[in-house]
Amino acid sequence: MARWKKSLPFGVAFGAGILAFLLIADGNGRADEPCVPLIQHKCGTCHFVNYICPPIQKGKGSFYWRGIVKDMVKEGMAATDQEQKRLTSCLASPGSEVKGLCPIP
């Protein structure tokens, strides 16, 4: 019984470390996160997703989108620094999957 009591703090610390790792590594804010789900989750929470279409169709670049993303964070959008960078990248250089969110003009 005494041996179990000595290992309890280690076990608690080890378990807490594993839990922290799982919470941090849950996929939020990954640099390679697919653009469409990220846009749908972050932008589509407050706007219709096609709200982003006019600036995308005008070819707005990363400077523009970085400012928009920062403004949205100030308005209450929860996004890590990595998510903000990924959103900026996805919106400034949209692939066909992101362009597919927009109706054909």
Side-chain angles (χ1 to χ4, degrees):
M1 184 87 168
R3 185 173 182 198
W4 180 79
K5 287 183 180 180
K6 288 182 181 179
S7 66
L8 181 62
F10 174 78
V12 171
F14 183 74
I18 295 293
L19 179 60
F21 174 78
L22 292 174
L23 291 173
I24 291 169
D26 69 350
N28 290 332
R30 291 186 341 241
D32 61 341
E33 187 168 358
C35 291
V36 170
L38 182 64
I39 290 170
Q40 289 172 329
H41 182 251
K42 297 299 179 183
C43 304
T45 301
C46 296
H47 306 283
F48 288 112
V49 175
N50 64 1
Y51 186 77
I52 64 172
C53 294
I56 285 176
Q57 291 165 343
K58 289 179 183 175
K60 297 289 186 175
S62 60
F63 182 79
Y64 172 84
W65 286 112
R66 191 175 314 116
I68 295 295
V69 169
K70 292 288 183 192
D71 287 346
M72 294 302 100
V73 169
K74 288 178 186 174
E75 292 293 326
M77 178 178 74
T80 65
D81 288 343
Q82 288 179 327
E83 288 171 327
Q84 292 176 47
K85 289 176 186 175
R86 184 66 178 149
L87 273 172
T88 298
S89 173
C90 291
L91 295 167
S93 302
S96 59
E97 68 282 352
V98 172
K99 290 179 181 177
L101 294 172
C102 300
I104 298 172

